[in-house]
Amino acid sequence: MINSVRNTVLAILNKNNYGYISPQDFNLFAKQAQLDIFEDYFYQYNYQLNKENKRMSGTGYADITKGYEEVINTFSVTLPLAQSTPSTNNYLLPSLLTTNNDYFLINKMLVNDVILANGTTTGFGFGVNEIIDAGADFISRGVKVGDIVGIVVGGITYNLSIIDVISATSLRISPSVVNTQPLDYTIYQQYKYKEIEKVTHSKITLLNNSILTSPSLGYPAYTTENLSSDIFPPTINNPGQVICQYIRYPFDPQWTYTSLSGGEPVFNQSNPSYQDLEIPLDDEPTVVMKILQYAGMSIREIAAVQFAQANEQYEDNNEK
């Protein structure tokens, strides 16, 4: 999609002799255009919900709310959170360092409150698909296929699925992890999650001081501050125990190329840095118009800006 968008933008600019934008500038403009459209999904979703509540929205193929919900869900991620310090109830929120992407909106936080076993690995087998703990007894602890192993490797927290209980001291897991040891681990029963309630800092003080309403594993709570979250009760402090479902920002688009002898860049999708636009195909006209606006400002050509704004306004009016 990104190559089609760039070709369209250049065709409009070159045809009217507005100028030329470099691949670097195009990538910057595409990033901003994609962010504009991405954030607008939430406003449009809210707008359609209001129309639905007023009985002004259709059903079936005319259910526009469902369409926006599906688009937003393509950016949904569910991952375990890393702890700021091992064995503490302070967990780091999603970021490029902890989950490889930043979050736009945290939808919910979950805690796995059923711990079957924990310990430290004493070895790995079958490459890195089997973890071994010579001091464990997985069978007597009721560990089964499908249960989850929370483990931290290289500062990244993983929740690995058990695909085979080989013996009392050995488990086969998926996906694989790097072959290092010893590693602390915690095994959780699958699907045993409780949703954590988000509370304010003033409310958590009242809750913690109350015998009746103090957070528990059955009714956990959390507060956020800076780039981390405190989970209550403090006994929630194991690797992989807290899972976050959030909406991430779209990845920065990268139109990658190979320069020929003539100097004209040629699209190269096989470049490791290549990243396509993540918005749906039906938003291609919108992203083209937004990039034209940025390009028009860059080359100081007001006609290009006005052309793009007029087309974007026309599309907006037709969609309401």
Side-chain angles (χ1 to χ4, degrees), residues 26-319:
F26 172 80
N27 287 334
L28 291 174
F29 300 155
K31 174 185 175 181
Q32 295 304 317
Q34 180 172 247
L35 282 174
D36 284 346
I37 296 171
F38 169 77
E39 292 182 0
D40 191 53
Y41 290 148
F42 297 87
Y43 291 102
Q44 292 297 326
Y45 180 66
N46 182 64
Y47 173 73
Q48 294 300 329
L49 280 179
N50 290 333
K51 288 185 64 176
E52 190 175 288
N53 293 334
K54 296 177 183 177
R55 300 183 183 276
M56 297 172 61
S57 180
T59 59
Y61 292 123
D63 190 349
I64 301 176
T65 305
K66 181 180 178 182
Y68 279 112
E69 186 174 351
E70 290 178 351
V71 171
I72 292 173
N73 281 338
T74 62
F75 299 95
S76 175
V77 178
T78 302
L79 287 175
L81 296 181
Q83 295 166 279
S84 60
T85 306
S87 301
T88 67
N89 66 322
N90 183 260
Y91 289 79
L92 300 174
L93 295 177
S95 68
L96 290 175
L97 293 177
T98 60
T99 58
N100 200 36
N101 46 58
D102 286 320
Y103 74 93
F104 174 80
L105 172 72
I106 292 179
N107 190 38
K108 62 181 177 180
M109 299 263 264
L110 304 170
V111 60
N112 196 319
D113 61 341
V114 180
I115 298 176
L116 300 176
N118 51 38
T120 305
T121 61
T122 58
F124 287 87
F126 290 97
V128 289
N129 291 316
E130 180 186 346
I131 61 172
I132 300 169
D133 182 0
D137 190 351
F138 298 129
I139 295 177
S140 67
R141 298 302 297 269
V143 176
K144 304 183 299 297
V145 171
D147 289 336
I148 305 299
V149 178
I151 204 164
V152 180
V153 181
I156 304 297
T157 301
Y158 298 91
N159 276 356
L160 310 172
S161 179
I162 298 175
I163 58 176
D164 188 16
V165 181
I166 300 173
S167 68
T169 60
S170 178
L171 302 171
R172 187 165 294 132
I173 48 90
S174 177
S176 60
V177 294
V178 295
N179 192 1
T180 61
Q181 59 173 332
L183 292 174
D184 294 333
Y185 68 86
T186 302
I187 300 178
Y188 308 99
Q189 187 174 348
Q190 63 174 333
Y191 307 133
K192 294 298 181 180
Y193 298 111
K194 291 286 194 316
E195 187 164 350
I196 312 175
E197 180 186 3
K198 183 178 182 180
V199 298
T200 62
H201 288 277
S202 59
K203 184 176 181 180
I204 196 63
T205 303
L206 296 174
L207 292 176
N208 283 328
N209 287 326
S210 171
I211 298 176
L212 297 177
T213 61
S214 178
S216 63
L217 276 177
Y219 298 94
Y222 78 94
T223 60
T224 58
E225 185 172 5
N226 200 3
L227 296 177
S228 66
S229 177
D230 288 322
I231 313 295
F232 300 91
T235 51
I236 301 175
N237 57 10
N238 298 285
Q241 190 170 11
V242 175
I243 299 95
C244 181
Q245 187 265 317
Y246 61 97
I247 304 299
R248 65 169 175 83
Y249 279 102
F251 297 126
D252 294 350
Q254 291 292 326
W255 186 85
T256 52
Y257 63 93
T258 300
S259 293
L260 297 182
S261 57
E264 182 68 21
V266 176
F267 182 51
N268 179 19
Q269 189 172 339
S270 62
N271 190 303
S273 299
Y274 166 74
Q275 173 62 55
D276 200 2
L277 291 159
E278 294 193 278
I279 56 178
L281 187 61
D282 59 346
D283 278 323
E284 182 173 338
T286 305
V287 74
V288 167
M289 294 307 157
K290 287 186 176 294
I291 293 175
L292 280 173
Q293 292 180 50
Y294 288 118
M297 292 297 295
S298 175
I299 61 180
R300 294 181 174 85
E301 181 52 68
I302 191 62
V305 178
Q306 292 173 341
F307 169 76
Q309 288 177 337
N311 277 273
E312 188 176 2
Q313 185 64 45
Y314 177 78
E315 292 292 334
D316 290 342
N317 292 337
N318 284 344
E319 290 176 2

